[in-house]
Amino acid sequence: METLQPKPSFSESDLETILVSKEQIDQRIKSLASEISTQFADEDLTVVCVLSGALVFTADLIRKLNVPTRLDCIRADSYGNATESSSPPRIASALKTDIAGKNVLVVDDILDTGNTLSAIVDHLEEAKPASLKTCVLLDKKERRQVDIQADFSGFDIPNAFVVGYGLDFAEHYRHLPCIGSLWPEFQILR
Ligand code: XMP
């Protein structure tokens, strides 16, 4: 007999736990933007958004910055449609702008094993920026495999696969305003 699978609604009701609320995100982004603006006061900043996960975070963050800001994007392929990384990340699309001699802030959604951010940092260092800092919204410290720390970090979270606010499961849930973990029955590729 066929067993009936519950259908995901791709909304907040598919979340078992909300780890970070919309209000917490809004508040933390304000304080991060203020820290970053203070650090780069009177300087130009090139923000490099790591697609696609950091898109929502970057869009909110840059609108709170008080410094002249350029925006570029980079893409690193790591997880595909699964919840675990398999092979080392590959830089899948390069920058459009020349960052030589520029102050660069790489913005990513989550620092997990550290493989992705460290590959991106190594790649960008080759372009000889004047300075290179990193900013992540979430940090899963206990999963780290590479010795890397973000210069600016929003929230430490436990070891759970999370979605929402730019983070996806098979490209779903990026639009959710909060961050949480899915009920196990919805962590199945359909
Ligand atoms: P690493 O392990 O290289 O991972 O630090 C960084 C990238 O992996 C993705 N990632 C996640 N995506 N929920 C997601 O939707 C998660 O819990 C998660 N953990 C890692 C993400 O793209 C990040 O940039």
Side-chain angles (χ1 to χ4, degrees), residues 56-107:
V56 178
F57 174 38
T58 306
D60 284 345
L61 182 70
I62 58 171
R63 285 178 291 172
K64 297 272 180 304
L65 294 176
N66 268 327
V67 287
T69 302
R70 289 186 185 84
L71 177 65
D72 206 336
C73 296
I74 196 166
R75 188 185 287 276
D77 284 342
S78 46
Y79 283 18
N81 273 346
T83 57
E84 278 297 320
S85 66
S86 45
S87 49
R90 185 180 64 92
I91 305 298
S93 85
L95 296 183
K96 281 181 133 182
T97 51
D98 182 7
I99 57 164
K102 301 278 193 288
N103 296 306
V104 172
L105 179 71
V106 183
V107 179

Side-chain angles (χ1 to χ4, degrees), residues 30-47:
K30 270 190 208 151
S31 58
L32 278 174
S34 151
E35 278 177 53
I36 294 166
S37 300
T38 305
Q39 178 139 354
F40 291 97
D42 306 320
E43 297 188 48
D44 277 10
L45 184 60
T46 302
V47 169

Side-chain angles (χ1 to χ4, degrees), residues 1-169:
M1 210 173 76
E2 199 185 320
T3 49
L4 273 182
Q5 288 284 345
K7 265 190 133 210
S9 63
F10 303 117
S11 68
E12 272 182 59
S13 61
D14 293 355
L15 299 180
E16 180 178 15
T17 316
I18 294 182
L19 285 150
V20 194
S21 69
K22 179 188 182 310
E23 292 69 29
Q24 288 172 306
I25 294 172
D26 289 349
Q27 258 192 9
R28 189 70 186 110
I29 287 181
K30 270 190 208 151
S31 58
L32 278 174
S34 151
E35 278 177 53
I36 294 166
S37 300
T38 305
Q39 178 139 354
F40 291 97
D42 306 320
E43 297 188 48
D44 277 10
L45 184 60
T46 302
V47 169
V48 174
C49 168
V50 182
L51 294 173
S52 303
L55 197 152
V56 178
F57 174 38
T58 306
D60 284 345
L61 182 70
I62 58 171
R63 285 178 291 172
K64 297 272 180 304
L65 294 176
N66 268 327
V67 287
T69 302
R70 289 186 185 84
L71 177 65
D72 206 336
C73 296
I74 196 166
R75 188 185 287 276
D77 284 342
S78 46
Y79 283 18
N81 273 346
T83 57
E84 278 297 320
S85 66
S86 45
S87 49
R90 185 180 64 92
I91 305 298
S93 85
L95 296 183
K96 281 181 133 182
T97 51
D98 182 7
I99 57 164
K102 301 278 193 288
N103 296 306
V104 172
L105 179 71
V106 183
V107 179
D108 205 356
D109 51 0
I110 185 165
L111 187 49
D112 190 340
T113 63
N115 287 307
T116 305
L117 196 58
S118 83
I120 288 171
V121 165
D122 289 349
H123 175 79
L124 295 178
E125 289 285 13
E126 286 172 21
K128 304 270 180 273
S131 69
L132 183 52
K133 302 274 183 206
T134 55
C135 174
V136 296
L137 181 64
L138 305 173
D139 191 345
K140 272 192 216 171
K141 287 204 166 67
E142 65 190 91
R143 290 248 313 158
R144 203 75 92 249
Q145 293 170 2
V146 177
D147 185 18
I148 183 169
Q149 267 191 323
D151 297 293
F152 304 94
S153 171
F155 302 93
D156 284 350
I157 59 160
N159 180 12
F161 188 81
V162 291
V163 299
Y165 198 72
L167 292 129
D168 74 309
F169 177 68

